[in-house]
Amino acid sequence: MNVDGRPLRTIWPAADGWSVEIIDQTRLPHELQTVRIESLEQMAKAISTMQVRGAPLIGVAACYGLALALRRNASEAAIDRAAATLCATRPTAVNLRGRITELREQLLARRAARRVAFAYEFCARITDEEVEIGRRIGEHGLALIEKAAALHRQCPVNVLTHCNAGWLATIDWGTALAPVYRAHLAGIPIHVWVDETRPRNQGYLTAWELGHQGVPHTIVVDNAGGHLMQAGEVDLCVVGTDRTTAAGDVCNKIGTYLKALAAKDNAVPFYVALPSSSVDWSIASGREQIPIERRSDSEVHEVAGLASNGRAASLRLTPAESPAVNYAFDVTPARLVSGLITERGVCEASTEGLLTLFPERRG
Ligand code: MRU
């Protein structure tokens, strides 16, 4: 995507040929700052503090973290230690574990002397792969927006999204936002309701992205979605996912489930956009089998923003003695999902639906 005329991705190899640069997403939406990552430890920290975030992006970032670790030590034991460190950073998004497992297996099949170069080649390949996947998700999702536009008597098509599943959460294009960008580029009038997404407010990243691409949007507080749907102000919901089970249950940012319930009650289509690397083929039940990340309660107690002097500041919101709990994700059962938008097309949120698009997973 272009930001003020500058083509940008969320992660890229630095000019020195070995370190890695990222957009520091903890500085957005107020400041576009890049950070150079030089070690496994720095990458693990960037993932856990959410300087990089979003399921597809943390999968790629983790692989770069492993490549950086190999520069110090490319033995099997060192690979396993680094893989364990990276997998522990964020437990819910299956992409991270999936990509690291894939890279680890391929590394172990090679001689130690070849491993560093191979790891960087692998990272470059999966980075391009994620971009192409986002482009295809956009293409398939565009058809759904075109359908909504055709049904629509008034303009624009109103899409509601939760969290940030745009290019910042991937490498480019995004998942949930890829169809929105495609529709905007195709000249379809479109407007996005952007959930704030407490406590980390990823909705502000969505708003920042959409604003830079000229897509009309409005930020709403998390509790507004139900009201908007009752008022007929939402044509379809599109969200991303951190892990989708083989039966089509969808684990995404906390609050997604409530939007799906409101969508069902108001007959608003509720779509989930995902790369197939977000499908966990080994499990069926999201509620019972997906580990839900619990983050620091300080994210609930405090809010970060810009003070009136223009400096970054953090404010305490809650009573000093009140405890808080911070579940980062929830599970939306497949029965509430109208369809899954993948790089291979749109399918029903069910085992059969997924297997129609990914027949190689049968059996
Ligand atoms: O905690 P985050 O910001 O990493 O959570 C991100 C989401 O929940 C996204 O919706 C999901 O990763 C899909 S990103 C294409």
Side-chain angles (χ1 to χ4, degrees):
M1 291 282 159
N2 276 339
V3 177
D4 301 328
R6 174 180 171 199
L8 266 180
R9 287 181 171 185
T10 48
I11 191 165
W12 61 94
D16 58 19
W18 65 270
S19 64
V20 182
E21 290 199 62
I22 57 167
I23 293 178
D24 181 352
Q25 300 195 24
T26 60
R27 314 294 292 213
L28 288 172
H30 305 298
E31 198 179 9
L32 177 59
Q33 206 175 88
T34 61
V35 169
R36 212 156 74 95
I37 304 285
E38 300 180 352
S39 65
L40 162 74
E41 292 72 21
Q42 284 176 0
M43 189 59 93
K45 191 162 174 225
I47 297 171
S48 56
T49 60
M50 294 169 62
Q51 285 179 301
V52 280
R53 42 149 300 282
L57 173 56
I58 60 179
V60 173
C63 290
Y64 269 116
L66 190 47
L68 289 167
L70 293 179
R71 286 172 45 85
R72 253 186 271 160
N73 185 343
S75 69
E76 184 170 341
I79 293 172
D80 285 347
R81 274 196 307 273
T85 301
L86 290 159
C87 286
T89 52
R90 297 202 71 190
T92 302
V94 74
N95 311 56
L96 195 161
R97 206 188 56 200
R99 288 300 197 187
I100 284 287
T101 305
E102 202 183 329
L103 175 54
R104 178 187 170 276
E105 275 166 15
Q106 297 194 30
L107 285 169
L108 295 186
R110 284 167 173 80
R111 285 181 297 111
R114 263 291 293 147
R115 287 177 181 161
V116 176
F118 177 80
Y120 280 97
E121 284 157 25
F122 180 92
C123 292
R125 179 172 62 71
I126 63 168
T127 302
D128 289 344
E129 210 174 279
E130 292 289 357
V131 175
E132 177 56 16
I133 285 171
R135 197 190 62 74
R136 288 202 205 151
I137 289 173
E139 221 163 71
H140 297 299
L142 171 63
L144 298 171
I145 293 176
E146 280 170 340
K147 198 167 128 199
L151 286 174
H152 220 290
R153 300 213 186 285
Q154 325 140 346
C155 286
V157 173
N158 282 301
V159 175
L160 182 138
T161 194
H162 191 67
C163 194
N164 171 262
W167 70 271
L168 287 171
T170 61
I171 307 293
D172 209 348
W173 287 106
T175 57
L177 294 190
V180 169
Y181 289 132
R182 292 298 296 247
H184 180 66
L185 290 171
I188 298 172
I190 192 159
H191 166 264
V192 183
W193 296 110
V194 178
D195 283 353
E196 263 185 324
T197 320
R198 276 271 294 151
R200 287 294 293 248
N201 297 319
Q202 286 93 333
Y204 305 157
L205 303 178
T206 297
W208 182 85
E209 275 195 28
L210 292 170
H212 278 278
Q213 303 311 313
V215 179
H217 62 278
T218 307
I219 299 171
V220 288
V221 296
D222 290 329
N223 294 330
H227 170 72
L228 289 170
M229 291 188 224
Q230 284 178 325
E233 296 283 349
V234 181
D235 294 302
L236 68 162
C237 300
V238 189
V239 299
T241 174
D242 283 75
R243 193 185 298 218
T244 290
T245 70
D249 289 350
V250 167
C251 182
N252 190 46
K253 183 53 54 196
I254 192 83
T256 302
Y257 171 50
L258 291 178
K259 293 300 135 71
L261 283 173
K264 185 74 167 183
D265 194 43
N266 291 281
V268 172
F270 187 91
Y271 287 99
V272 179
L274 65 147
S276 53
S277 56
S278 295
V279 180
D280 186 342
W281 298 96
S282 70
I283 60 173
S285 166
R287 273 284 296 119
E288 283 154 30
Q289 293 172 285
I290 298 179
I292 300 291
E293 177 180 5
R294 260 180 80 168
R295 296 186 61 81
S296 164
D297 57 8
S298 67
E299 293 182 354
V300 177
H301 290 304
E302 292 155 22
V303 69
L306 271 196
S308 49
N309 61 6
R311 292 243 176 96
S314 162
L315 274 183
R316 170 92 191 192
L317 297 172
T318 55
E321 279 84 35
S322 295
V325 64
N326 188 9
Y327 295 104
F329 299 96
D330 63 21
V331 174
T332 299
R335 67 188 154 77
L336 298 179
V337 178
S338 311
L340 303 174
I341 310 170
T342 77
E343 69 269 26
R344 293 205 191 157
V346 181
C347 70
E348 192 183 84
S350 66
T351 307
E352 214 26 61
L354 279 165
L355 290 176
T356 313
L357 292 183
F358 300 93
E360 70 276 19
R361 295 285 177 171
R362 257 181 219 284

